[in-house]
Amino acid sequence: MSITDKETQRAREAVSEVRLQVSPEEAFRYMQVIPHKGFLKSLRSNWRVNENGHATIQSICWLFCWATMGNNPKNKKTADVCITVFGQIFDHSYEWFAQKVPHELAKTWRYAKPKSLIEF
């Protein structure tokens, strides 16, 4: 299924609304309890906060993608914890984000180079 320009713009607007509701350090501590070795191994290299103290677009999408892995029965527990953590650290819930940002876009944006993402 192809994502339209309108859907992409709507997703950009949504992701730009998401803010941490805890300090960046506290958000990092929340994520350290996620029960998955691969997640924990990649946490340091994928969790980023910009100079304004906001989680980067890539970081938001990265955590969202981990939370969306619930389709895989092996990762359901990890996904459930990621969904909970998403809601604890951000001012919008996972469910809200999932309605606004297609998973396919989040997968693209999670590893995008900063210059390839026109800051929203």
Side-chain angles (χ1 to χ4, degrees):
M1 184 172 146
S2 181
I3 297 171
T4 67
D5 288 343
K6 186 175 182 176
E7 290 170 316
T8 300
Q9 182 58 35
R10 181 176 164 218
R12 285 180 179 205
E13 290 169 4
V15 77
S16 70
E17 288 181 30
V18 176
R19 295 287 182 263
L20 286 171
Q21 62 181 2
V22 299
S23 71
E25 298 79 20
E26 190 173 354
F28 189 82
R29 284 193 299 272
Y30 273 102
M31 288 184 285
Q32 286 179 312
V33 303
I34 293 173
H36 191 282
K37 289 180 184 178
F39 177 91
L40 296 172
K41 186 177 179 181
S42 65
L43 177 58
R44 284 213 183 270
S45 60
N46 290 293
W47 177 251
R48 297 282 180 249
V49 178
N50 67 23
E51 63 278 354
N52 297 322
H54 302 299
T56 64
I57 295 160
Q58 297 92 331
S59 295
I60 296 166
C61 290
W62 173 77
L63 181 57
F64 173 73
C65 287
W66 274 96
T68 303
M69 288 179 9
N71 308 6
N72 180 345
K74 276 178 43 180
N75 294 319
K76 178 136 177 52
K77 181 178 179 181
T78 300
D80 288 346
V81 176
C82 287
I83 289 168
T84 299
V85 168
F86 194 100
Q88 291 171 325
I89 67 172
F90 293 124
D91 61 353
H92 289 79
S93 70
Y94 166 84
E95 292 79 10
W96 178 89
F97 195 86
Q99 289 178 352
K100 307 282 186 181
V101 181
H103 185 232
E104 289 303 313
L105 277 178
K107 286 191 321 187
T108 300
W109 292 346
R110 70 183 174 192
Y111 298 126
K113 301 288 182 212
K115 289 184 181 182
S116 70
L117 291 173
I118 299 170
E119 281 298 327
F120 314 143

